[in-house]
Amino acid sequence: MVVSAVSVDEDQPESAEQQTDPLGDPYLRTRFILPSRPVTFLARPRLTRRLDHSPPTPLTMVNGAAGAGKTLLLADWAAGRAQPVAWLTMEAEEKRPGMFWAHFLHALRTSGRHLSDRIEDPADAHHVDRRLLSAIAEDLATADPPVTVVLDEYERVTEPDIAEQLEFVLQHAGRGLRLILVTRTEPLLSLHRYRAAGELTEIRAAELAFTPEETVALLRLHGLRLSVQAARALVDRTRGWAAGLRLCALAAQESQDPEVYLKEFEADRSTIADFLLAEVLKRQPEDTQDLLLRISVLDRFNPDLANTLTGRADSARILADLHRENAFVEQLGHSWYRLHPLFGEILRAHLSVRRPGLEPELHRRAARWLRQTGSLPEALAHGAAAGDWDFTAAALVDDLAIGRFFTGLRSDDLAGLFSRMGPETTSPATELVRAARDLSHGDFRHGTVHLRQARARLDGVTGDPAAARLSCALLEALAARLTGSPTRAELAAESADEVRQDVAPDLLLKHPELPALLLTHLGSTRLWAGRFEEARAALAKAADAPDSASTVLARKESLGHLALIDYLDGWLGRAEHKALEAVAEAERFDPSPPAGSAIEQVVLAGVAVDRNELGRAKTLLDEAAEHSATPHDPVTAAGRAIVTARLQLARGDARAAVEAADPDVFAVVASPWAESHERLVTSAARLAEGRAGEAAEILRKLGDDQPSCTTEAARIQCAVGNVDEAIDLLDSVPADGRTGPAVTVRATLVKAMAADAAGDTATARRLVAQALLDARRERLRRPFLDAGRWIRPLLVTAPLDRLAAGWLTAGHPACEDPAGPGTPPAPIVVEELSARERDVLRRLAQMMSTQEIAADMYVSVNTVKTHLKSLYRKLAVNRRGAAVRRARDMGLL
């Protein structure tokens, strides 16, 4: 049976003394009954279970801001208890001890507790006798079950004598009294002693906050439907504040589109604003109201920053008081605070009304204070809000943080912040920022204009603009990379080396991304010029940059470029390893890695073409086009053009190959290897079309001595019958160990072709055997498929058929061309998949999550992750989808 907390025996009326307080006024019945709960009240079992703590602690404190749902939570809990609860809602009159204890005793009697005859109500409103307190404690100590007393709005009790007396009674009543304080502030009690003894139960703001699931349930009681995901955004904005959620729900009921209202409501134009202004702001003294209005422009603040905005010296005390009073000032630790999001919105709107025109000045003061204390991102945000672009751009440049436009770490936020900067500011710093903003989006035409203007203005600057000059060198190197200008890149590198000596060492250590980015741009430009070894030296240094989130993009880009060099030199395994390392390097910090040139995807696609995995190559090229943030980067564009053209040739589409081989990029200097590969593709296309003469003529204009180009030219010359020219070309390739299997296998096959054409079958067979052995390690298939018909009779004879079986051919005598209508050869994996890995692979194909795979296989999640890591390595992929696609291509699924 549930007993009401206010049930009384109406047949036994109280005496006249019990019906009036020490001042002779009647007791107000509403202060001793449970507050009523609205029909839309949501019971929260997770909190009532805390209140039902067994065994109950002598003291319980429910501490939260106005509207946090404290009172209704306790009322709901009390109404559901089998034993009565004494309830007392405090008022300001209880600052007098006699009045407090008179109301305390009346609450006990109202709940049905019969008190000893020795306990008489205080006659003096200002004083209580110690004997009365002892009598109350002695009477309660015998209570079985214990008496529960709830003191609501206890923050009104500010008299130390009352707190001391209440603590005396609580201590001596022992287990006979359970006291529950409902308060907005910290009570004047020795809470630390109760905590240490395990005799205190606390429910604070964090627990009172509604969860997304509770929010969904609350809105449902109001006839509203909202997903948990949408509710989560509402909870983030309201911090789960009960009153705010209820007021939002009531307002949404009147809206034509409740769901949109809940997502986009304007706090300053709602009943929430009325509540917070009345319950929080207007209860504060004038000087505290002024402080709250001024700090509303800040996302976070400490006393020193608040003093800067207010001109006061006592902000520390005021902020501590506001936090202690749960006045919607949240403590972040280390003396830092923030305003409740809704309260901040409302205060900012109120600021513009009460202090019009003050907001820009507040932002300006905040920006300068934050700049001096090293909080650059916040300083930039406030400088932009103040419209002080000279200060904001100078803060970024002087901090040597211009490289943040290119790190992928909130780079879009930085670009968006400076997008509001108008053309009226023309300082060196603002021009550098404009150049960085444009170049970060691949707009080298406008970027170079601003860069030229910045350089001209820097020449007229007095003092020591070392940081600005080093920033300028970085942007010059990027502009050189985007325009294919090696000379400009080298000059930028020299300028950076000179000015770096004048930059404070701690500033350089703070920004490791700047030298890493500069080396990446220099290496890319050297690569464009065909100076592979010099490029490798710069890129290797960039790849070894300090391991931090700010250098991820530079290291990823440098590894991708190193992979391209290996690919062009014919080292497919090395190229693939570096490309996958580039992808993994970025994903180690973020599953959605920062965008760059996506050159590593291009290299992986090129490797796939040479292995005749054409479907995978197409997928990788599509991914590269989708993820590339610099589509006009010459090196990446040339690499993509080469791989795409080779893919089209492998598919038998000569015309598409010729079109793809010519990248649409602007470059000051032509790239010898890019031009040579374009001519090779065109020559191969002419040969495929039966135009042998044109194919040979195109090769005579080949201007690069790169081994891969020379070898491919020799193959085409041999195919058109120019055997002697082909051999001469091969003899010109230096035997310096630089070239990898993708080049040497092709060279060996050209020699075999020449031997076969001369009738020397034994030499041809020996050379083909050597090529098969070298190619098998790298899974090279295209050189054999591109060799022509002459090689097919050789591949079906022993022992060549055994050397080709299982990876180049499907294990039967005939060797069909996969690009044609025949059956494609059976691909292989580097290592065989284990039974467990195959089980995981099958579940991946069913779109099961890691947790679902673990549950389905009865293993731990970590075990599944280990299998996935091994699976990715063996399939040479780095993502789930890629693993499934590749497995299907290879017939594993």
Side-chain angles (χ1 to χ4, degrees), residues 595-837:
S597 64
I599 194 167
E600 64 279 357
Q601 302 280 20
V602 172
V603 172
L604 290 173
V607 172
V609 170
D610 272 344
R611 290 174 177 166
N612 204 47
E613 297 165 358
L614 306 186
R616 180 169 184 259
K618 178 63 167 62
T619 299
L620 287 164
L621 285 170
D622 291 342
E623 288 179 3
E626 180 183 350
H627 296 155
S628 176
T630 52
H632 301 294
D633 176 68
V635 169
T636 306
R640 186 185 298 114
I642 291 168
V643 174
T644 304
R646 287 184 174 179
L647 174 61
Q648 297 296 355
L649 284 174
R651 287 176 163 177
D653 193 339
R655 179 172 297 179
V658 173
E659 292 176 358
D662 184 13
D664 182 19
V665 294
F666 166 79
V668 173
V669 175
S671 172
W673 58 267
E675 283 197 342
S676 293
H677 278 283
E678 179 186 348
R679 291 185 180 277
L680 285 170
V681 168
T682 305
S683 177
R686 296 291 181 268
L687 180 62
E689 294 169 345
R691 297 150 67 179
E694 291 183 34
E697 182 62 29
I698 291 171
L699 294 182
R700 291 192 175 89
K701 300 176 183 177
L702 207 62
D704 188 35
D705 60 355
Q706 187 186 358
S708 59
C709 295
T710 304
T711 302
E712 185 64 13
R715 183 188 72 83
I716 296 174
Q717 289 286 15
C718 193
V720 299
N722 299 331
V723 177
D724 292 339
E725 290 186 32
I727 298 301
D728 289 342
L729 284 170
L730 292 178
D731 289 342
S732 69
V733 176
D736 55 5
R738 169 183 157 185
T739 55
V743 176
T744 59
V745 166
R746 284 182 167 86
T748 302
L749 288 177
V750 172
K751 294 175 182 177
M753 185 191 305
D756 184 74
D760 188 352
T761 305
T763 300
R765 286 164 59 85
R766 177 178 56 79
L767 291 170
V768 171
Q770 179 185 332
L772 285 168
L773 288 170
D774 292 342
R776 185 166 59 182
R777 287 192 293 270
E778 297 272 6
R779 308 199 305 281
L780 270 167
R781 300 184 182 91
R782 281 312 316 172
F784 299 92
L785 299 173
D786 293 338
R789 296 183 178 276
W790 67 270
I791 199 173
R792 295 187 181 185
L794 297 177
L795 291 176
V796 299
T797 61
L800 300 184
D801 58 345
R802 290 192 298 275
L803 293 175
W807 69 275
L808 180 60
T809 66
H812 49 75
C815 176
E816 298 292 342
D817 186 349
T823 304
I828 63 167
V829 203
V830 179
E831 299 175 39
E832 287 297 321
L833 301 184
S834 69
R836 278 293 196 184
E837 289 164 353

Side-chain angles (χ1 to χ4, degrees), residues 116-147:
S116 169
D117 293 339
R118 296 188 300 108
I119 299 176
E120 297 181 356
D121 287 0
D124 186 347
H126 300 277
H127 177 73
V128 292
D129 191 274
R130 189 76 168 186
R131 287 175 296 179
L132 173 62
L133 300 177
S134 298
I136 294 173
E138 183 180 356
D139 185 83
L140 291 174
T142 62
D144 186 21
V147 174

Side-chain angles (χ1 to χ4, degrees), residues 24 27 47 83 107 205 279 295 322 336 356 457 477 480 539 598 672 755 829 833:
Y27 291 110
L47 296 179
Q83 300 298 325
E279 290 291 323
I295 63 176
L322 288 169
W336 284 89
R457 288 180 170 83
L539 294 168
V829 203
L833 301 184

Side-chain angles (χ1 to χ4, degrees), residues 223-266:
L224 302 171
R225 295 288 184 270
L226 202 66
S227 68
V228 174
Q229 183 177 358
R232 186 169 288 111
L234 182 60
V235 168
D236 287 343
R237 189 175 177 194
T238 61
R239 295 279 195 272
W241 177 44
L245 292 171
R246 174 165 166 72
L247 292 171
C248 283
L250 292 172
Q253 288 177 325
E254 306 298 322
S255 172
Q256 293 182 346
D257 192 334
E259 186 170 348
V260 171
Y261 175 86
L262 290 170
K263 291 179 181 178
E264 303 175 359
F265 71 90
E266 298 179 48

